[in-house]
Amino acid sequence: MFETLGEKTEEKAMVQFLERFTDYPFLVKFKNSEYHIGEGEPTFTVNFKKAIPLADLVKSTSLALGEAYMRGDLEIEGNLYEALDHFLGQMGKFSTNESALKKIMFSSTSKKNQEKEVTSHYDIGNDFYKLWLDETMSYSCGYFIHEDDTLYQAQVNKVDYILKKLHLEEGMSLLDIGCGWGFLLIEAAKKYKVHGTGITLSHEQYAEFQKRIKEQKLEDYLTVELMDYRDLPKHDYQFDRVVSVGMLEHVGRDNYQLFLDCVEKVLKPGGLFLLHFISALKEHPGDPWVKKYIFPGGTVPSLREILNHMAEDNFHTLDIENLRLHYNKTLLHWEKNFRDNIEQERTMFDETFLRMWDLYLSACAATFHNGIIDLHQILMTKGINNELPMTRWY
């Protein structure tokens, strides 16, 4: 089949754009042509079934390539994660026209809109999440103490680690903001006999957590509420400890101070707060493809801006830890589980969704490996607490 002059021009423009990504050698295939980009032996091949217009690549490189992959117009010959690991390490060369993508990049942080955004991701079905998460149903970074720890063991390790950091004692009250399917609170109740309250906006997580509480006969210790964090101060709550794991990313840059203000209002003086969140080195509005298809409204805060906001609520930092590589490993486990269960997932979703989800898990693993994003845990006290041990928690 012969290309028209217009098609050849579009092909040439696309290849010239891709030639900026020279850090690692790769091949580009398009119809009967092959292009070698970078120096050395190619590590993967990008096979285009259809040319991507230069205007789309310039408007958002991430959206243009991501959507082409979802449609099947772009195939990776080789390991998807390894290709993304090489490619996404050069995200500074991506093009993004934020003004042309305002609706995607800067969505409303109202209660109504944020509930809609959260449920669009977490309410796609517990049965789906059960296929590729581990038995704890933990959808956040694991903690790999040993090289050969399973995903399940890493999630148990992570929760144990957090609970130790919180210096829990029997009879204490613990709030989990964005409690997910409840594993952290269940472990806290069983091991420390604390009274826990979890809040979430996800109806699926709420229903599953309620079910787990009854199955494990923990009704005297645990409750779960469908609640926005902004409504916490309206209730007569006072907690000894507060934890939030992987929820701050849904708050939005305009509301970080409000989020911390709400925690401060329900935490007792001297109480401990552990904040576990995906972070970035600098403030950034986010990735257009991720915001359009995976986490609408999601924004990754920088560590420095959260520390700055903490000071306004008299939160004193006890410890800061970066678990970036643990999240890379967690995501690689999820991606393997996802692929291992692809036939069952095909009964739930179409091919576009499945390609999107595989791309999401692999791309996130790559961005953590490249340090584009980090995972921080900050342990803090409300005001001064001189009663805690002077040594660390272990």
Side-chain angles (χ1 to χ4, degrees):
M1 182 184 290
F2 294 101
E3 291 182 79
T4 65
L5 181 60
E7 288 172 333
K8 196 65 184 174
T9 301
E10 195 170 61
E11 174 187 344
K12 185 179 179 182
M14 177 182 75
V15 173
Q16 283 182 335
F17 182 89
L18 294 173
E19 283 175 343
R20 65 175 66 182
F21 301 100
T22 55
D23 289 4
Y24 299 94
F26 65 100
L27 286 179
V28 171
K29 286 184 182 178
F30 182 70
K31 296 187 177 179
N32 299 318
S33 301
E34 192 171 283
Y35 305 87
H36 189 143
I37 296 176
E39 295 182 3
E41 188 68 24
T43 52
F44 60 95
T45 298
V46 185
N47 191 341
F48 288 94
K49 310 295 175 64
K50 185 179 177 182
I52 301 176
L54 178 62
D56 292 347
L57 289 165
V58 170
K59 182 178 179 182
S60 171
T61 308
S62 174
L63 266 178
L65 295 175
E67 290 179 339
Y69 185 83
M70 287 166 61
R71 293 190 303 266
D73 291 342
L74 182 165
E75 293 284 356
I76 298 295
E77 295 176 9
N79 184 285
L80 177 62
Y81 163 70
E82 290 177 5
L84 289 166
D85 193 33
H86 289 166
F87 202 69
L88 295 179
Q90 305 173 74
M91 281 191 82
K93 301 174 185 178
F94 278 34
S95 178
T96 306
N97 184 341
E98 289 181 9
S99 61
L101 299 166
K102 277 184 181 176
K103 287 187 178 179
I104 296 172
M105 301 298 285
F106 306 103
S107 59
S108 168
T109 56
S110 69
K111 283 185 186 178
K112 185 177 180 181
N113 191 59
Q114 288 195 324
E115 180 181 4
K116 180 183 174 184
E117 290 174 339
V118 167
T119 56
S120 74
H121 185 89
Y122 296 97
D123 283 356
I124 56 178
N126 288 338
D127 289 343
F128 171 62
Y129 283 106
K130 285 175 182 177
L131 288 175
W132 53 275
L133 296 178
D134 68 290
E135 303 95 300
T136 71
M137 291 290 283
S138 296
Y139 191 18
S140 55
C141 177
Y143 185 58
F144 293 85
I145 296 174
H146 305 106
E147 186 66 29
D148 60 351
D149 279 344
T150 63
L151 176 61
Y152 168 79
Q153 187 60 53
Q155 294 295 3
V156 171
N157 295 344
K158 183 266 302 292
V159 166
D160 284 347
Y161 198 37
I162 287 173
L163 298 181
K164 283 177 184 175
K165 286 186 178 185
L166 286 169
H167 292 282
L168 294 172
E169 297 175 11
E170 184 174 343
M172 279 185 172
S173 55
L174 171 64
L175 169 67
D176 187 349
I177 303 174
C179 61
W181 289 276
F183 180 68
L184 185 149
L185 284 176
I186 289 169
E187 290 293 285
K190 285 181 174 179
K191 293 183 178 179
Y192 295 92
K193 291 185 166 51
V194 300
H195 295 277
T197 299
I199 66 168
T200 178
L201 291 177
S202 165
H203 295 263
E204 291 275 315
Q205 291 180 341
Y206 171 78
E208 181 69 18
F209 191 9
Q210 276 199 321
K211 181 183 170 188
R212 285 174 145 189
I213 291 170
K214 289 175 183 175
E215 286 175 349
Q216 304 200 37
K217 297 180 170 54
L218 293 171
E219 295 97 326
D220 291 341
Y221 290 96
L222 299 178
T223 57
V224 57
E225 305 284 347
L226 276 170
M227 186 189 298
D228 189 290
Y229 72 89
R230 283 165 280 203
D231 291 328
L232 283 167
K234 297 176 184 176
H235 297 262
D236 190 24
Y237 287 143
Q238 283 291 290
F239 294 95
D240 297 294
R241 303 286 188 262
V242 177
V243 65
S244 184
V245 178
M247 180 271 179
L248 185 65
E249 301 87 325
H250 298 288
V251 167
R253 182 152 279 118
D254 292 342
N255 285 346
Y256 294 150
Q257 190 65 62
L258 175 60
F259 173 80
L260 289 166
D261 291 348
C262 290
V263 175
E264 190 276 335
K265 285 182 172 65
V266 298
L267 183 61
K268 294 178 183 177
L272 271 66
F273 174 34
L274 187 139
L275 183 60
H276 168 124
F277 63 102
I278 297 171
S279 59
L281 196 61
K282 295 181 178 180
E283 301 72 37
H284 190 272
D287 177 77
W289 183 81
V290 171
K291 295 188 87 149
K292 182 174 179 179
Y293 291 103
I294 307 298
F295 291 113
T299 305
V300 175
S302 69
L303 175 62
R304 65 185 179 185
E305 68 182 320
I306 298 305
L307 291 171
N308 184 54
H309 287 302
M310 282 166 49
E312 298 305 311
D313 280 310
N314 198 24
F315 280 126
H316 291 250
T317 307
L318 294 181
D319 187 82
I320 301 175
E321 187 168 9
N322 188 335
L323 302 180
R324 174 177 63 84
L325 288 177
H326 292 268
Y327 218 161
N328 167 260
K329 195 165 183 176
T330 302
L331 279 149
L332 290 176
H333 274 282
W334 288 345
E335 201 269 344
K336 182 182 183 301
N337 290 347
F338 176 81
R339 287 192 171 223
D340 287 347
N341 290 284
I342 196 68
E343 292 307 319
Q344 196 166 344
E345 289 152 2
R346 280 198 174 102
T347 67
M348 301 176 176
F349 300 101
D350 63 19
E351 204 64 25
T352 300
F353 177 92
L354 297 177
R355 290 175 69 86
M356 175 191 79
W357 208 263
D358 195 20
L359 182 61
Y360 150 57
L361 295 175
S362 296
C364 284
T367 50
F368 277 108
H369 190 247
N370 281 284
I372 295 162
I373 48 178
D374 292 301
L375 189 287
H376 277 102
Q377 285 186 356
I378 307 177
L379 181 66
M380 63 193 90
T381 59
K382 176 181 171 179
I384 293 296
N385 184 329
N386 291 328
E387 306 304 315
L388 297 170
M390 291 173 65
T391 56
R392 296 180 98 193
W393 43 87
Y394 22 70

